Amino acid sequence: MRQRLAQLWTPPAGAKDPQELVVVFRIKLRPDGRMAPGRGRNWWRAATARSRIAARESAARALNRGQPFDMLKPEHYEQWKDIEITFDPRDMFRG
């Protein structure tokens, strides 16, 4: 899942410190690997309102485009039905 999201996520340019682009989403997933309806809880750190909004929106787009998360094993649904995903350029783009 992390690999797919890293391929789909384009962090906004212009932040002086990568820590400014950290976004965390908590989402609920259905057994088919799609996000359940409703709003997930999210928070972020960013230097300015503009970078904050851009970081959140780019992470949300990656989540939407990545569906369904069919790499998650159905037999482990109880473990991944409610998940927290951190979008952090320092972690997601390590080689």
Side-chain angles (χ1 to χ4, degrees):
M1 183 176 190
R2 181 181 223 40
Q3 185 178 18
R4 180 179 294 173
L5 291 172
Q7 292 171 347
L8 296 171
W9 185 42
T10 305
K16 294 178 182 153
D17 180 354
Q19 184 174 332
E20 296 173 357
L21 301 177
V22 175
V23 180
V24 179
F25 276 90
R26 183 171 187 148
I27 59 172
K28 294 186 185 294
L29 295 167
R30 299 185 314 215
D32 67 356
R34 293 191 173 277
M35 290 189 292
R39 294 194 119 169
R41 175 177 62 92
N42 65 70
W43 61 267
W44 55 89
R45 282 183 227 144
T48 67
R50 181 174 291 151
S51 62
R52 179 183 314 139
I53 292 167
R56 182 190 62 196
E57 288 178 352
S58 67
R61 277 192 301 276
L63 283 168
N64 284 320
R65 289 185 5 226
Q67 298 181 84
F69 299 107
D70 50 11
M71 75 291 293
L72 302 171
K73 295 183 179 183
E75 61 268 22
H76 298 143
Y77 177 64
E78 288 301 314
Q79 296 172 7
W80 54 260
K81 68 179 180 180
D82 185 4
I83 191 168
E84 188 169 279
I85 301 168
T86 301
F87 289 83
D88 185 335
R90 299 167 298 180
D91 296 333
M92 292 189 87
F93 298 108
R94 285 189 180 154

